[in-house]
Amino acid sequence: MNPRALLILALGISIFAGSVQAKMTVIDDVLGRKVELDLPAKRVILGFYAEDYMAIGTENALDNVVGISRDTWEGWRPSSWSLYTNYRPSLKSIPDVGEVEAQTFSIEKVISLKPSVVLLADWQYKGLGTDAERLENAGIPIVVVDYNAQTLERHIKSTQIIGELTGQEKRAQEIADNYKHTIESTLQRIKAAKLPKPRTYVEFGNKGPSQYSFTYGKNMWGAVITMMEGDNIAAPFVEWWGPMNPEQVLASRPEVVFLAGTESGVAGDAIAMGQGVDRKLAESRLAGYKARTGWNQMPAVKNNRVYGIYQGASRSILDASMVQFIAKSMYPSLFKDIDPEQEYLNFYKKYLPIMPTGTFTAQISE
């Protein structure tokens, strides 16, 4: 056989062998859906949880991201976006596919980017409705993860899924194990102490003191309060999230109040928390809520147990430290040895390429 024929035969055998060895992997996502795809994923569209994706998959995982729902990062956490884009300017060039809640998410744009997988939050997948079927009918797999539920089970499962997608299973398991240990050890202290459950209220303080914004029932901060043995006063009135009647808030006489905020709160009189936010400003915004009608008679206000918490540190594998903060605020005598804000920064130091500066937890002062 001549050399040319031998070369063609060798190439054919090599291609055939490669096709035999290539195997599709089946992932069970958080909804119990079985999704078949090639791993590690080479062309990924991120709907949400970009920081988690990077922490678990390493910064290199971003090299395979071909589209993002940009508003969930730049729009909701602008200072965080600036911090990351200053470090990695190429983030700005990743195509934007729109945002589900704003009804700008473009199925056509997603299809045009030819992704090997679309990673969506549970709320995004459900929000897309039949549009999700359009992607699947186009042969594009969708994997669903969920940190918004704020349950240990879904946090662990979501972290393991991202580990599979990025080929970082070992790193993902380490992060998941550390998260699990933090949650369980924190809860163990509380249960062992057998103290009365403090009546607790949480509100996203994005509208300032003059208008009540939404609180949480079964998910996000509401779920954390319940998990850490607090008595969430919103639970009987709000299933997931939504505003609570101000009179009912007062009648419930909360002993602990959490007001969540982001960097966007710097403008106006909203709660300001997060990257680049000065601590004095954060504390002054908390103090502004004392002026709400009837709040001067609230046990939480009388006893200076009104706390600020960074909204951007929720619904994330990074939120173990915020769980600690909520636990410490509700049961201060049990966690004198824990510095939640430092724990939050320690996660960045170990798993992420940037280090934020600002105010991520705060307490009202005299």
Side-chain angles (χ1 to χ4, degrees):
M1 187 178 291
N2 64 48
R4 179 180 174 80
L6 283 171
L7 177 60
I8 292 172
L9 177 62
L11 286 172
I13 292 172
S14 175
I15 291 169
F16 175 77
S19 65
V20 170
Q21 292 171 6
K23 292 182 179 180
M24 299 291 280
T25 302
V26 176
I27 282 184
D28 291 331
D29 71 10
V30 298
L31 299 180
R33 300 165 60 254
K34 294 187 180 298
V35 185
E36 189 177 59
L37 65 167
D38 283 318
L39 294 180
K42 298 300 183 186
R43 294 185 63 81
V44 181
I45 287 181
L46 288 180
F48 200 30
Y49 308 131
E51 204 167 24
D52 300 273
Y53 194 81
M54 197 185 324
I56 298 161
T58 76
E59 184 187 353
N60 292 335
L62 292 177
D63 295 339
N64 296 322
V65 173
V66 297
I68 59 172
S69 182
R70 186 162 164 172
D71 201 45
T72 62
W73 194 353
E74 183 183 21
W76 297 1
R77 299 175 61 201
S79 296
S80 172
W81 171 258
S82 294
L83 186 65
Y84 275 102
T85 53
N86 286 339
Y87 168 77
R88 187 182 172 109
S90 61
L91 283 172
K92 294 180 181 179
S93 64
I94 298 176
D96 178 21
V97 298
E99 202 269 297
V100 173
E101 279 191 340
Q103 298 184 338
T104 59
F105 192 88
S106 173
I107 299 298
E108 292 75 16
K109 182 67 173 287
V110 171
I111 293 173
S112 73
L113 293 170
K114 300 179 179 179
S116 57
V117 64
V118 176
L119 185 66
L120 296 176
D122 177 48
W123 61 268
Q124 291 177 313
Y125 179 73
K126 292 173 179 174
L128 283 177
T130 56
D131 278 343
E133 295 178 10
R134 290 176 58 196
L135 290 178
E136 292 171 324
N137 290 339
I140 299 172
I142 299 173
V143 173
V144 180
V145 291
D146 183 18
Y147 291 105
N148 284 58
Q150 289 293 164
T151 65
L152 180 58
E153 178 185 7
R154 285 212 166 180
H155 265 56
I156 298 302
K157 181 68 173 174
S158 297
T159 302
Q160 292 168 336
I161 288 171
I162 293 175
E164 289 184 83
L165 290 177
T166 59
Q168 291 287 339
E169 292 92 342
K170 184 177 179 181
R171 181 181 173 98
Q173 195 59 52
E174 176 185 284
I175 292 173
D177 288 345
N178 289 341
Y179 187 90
K180 185 172 186 285
H181 172 74
T182 298
I183 301 305
E184 291 182 342
S185 61
T186 302
L187 187 55
Q188 184 178 27
R189 288 195 196 188
I190 295 171
K191 288 188 172 182
K194 297 181 179 179
L195 297 172
K197 293 184 178 183
R199 296 185 305 277
T200 305
Y201 173 67
V202 61
E203 180 183 330
F204 184 29
N206 62 325
K207 295 183 178 180
S210 64
Q211 186 177 352
Y212 279 67
S213 189
F214 50 86
T215 183
Y216 301 95
K218 293 180 181 178
N219 69 347
M220 289 185 59
W221 298 127
V224 174
I225 290 168
T226 301
M227 179 170 58
M228 290 295 112
E229 298 290 305
D231 178 8
N232 179 13
I233 68 166
F237 309 103
V238 177
E239 184 175 12
W240 299 109
W241 64 85
M244 192 171 164
N245 187 307
E247 293 183 2
Q248 190 60 59
V249 174
L250 295 175
S252 300
R253 296 181 56 76
E255 299 164 285
V256 181
V257 168
F258 294 101
L259 297 167
T262 68
E263 300 90 347
S264 298
V266 171
D269 58 357
I271 296 295
M273 300 289 296
Q275 166 64 24
V277 175
D278 180 76
R279 186 164 298 278
K280 289 183 178 180
L281 174 64
E283 291 173 351
S284 70
R285 294 296 176 83
L286 285 177
Y289 279 71
K290 284 183 176 181
R292 275 183 165 176
T293 301
W295 275 46
N296 61 338
Q297 296 301 311
M298 188 183 289
V301 174
K302 285 183 175 181
N303 297 315
N304 291 314
R305 298 186 70 185
V306 177
Y307 302 89
I309 192 166
Y310 181 38
Q311 183 83 348
S314 64
R315 63 206 172 193
S316 166
I317 198 61
L318 284 76
D319 64 37
S321 55
M322 297 298 126
V323 175
Q324 289 177 314
F325 178 67
I326 286 175
K328 182 173 183 175
S329 302
M330 294 193 301
Y331 300 99
S333 64
L334 303 182
F335 298 99
K336 293 180 179 179
D337 60 320
I338 302 295
D339 184 346
E341 188 160 307
Q342 186 57 54
E343 292 299 320
Y344 180 66
L345 297 175
N346 287 345
F347 186 96
Y348 277 90
K349 184 176 181 180
K350 187 171 184 178
Y351 293 112
L352 286 161
I354 57 91
M355 179 58 71
T357 58
T359 305
F360 307 98
T361 63
Q363 182 177 5
I364 205 167
S365 55
E366 294 281 355

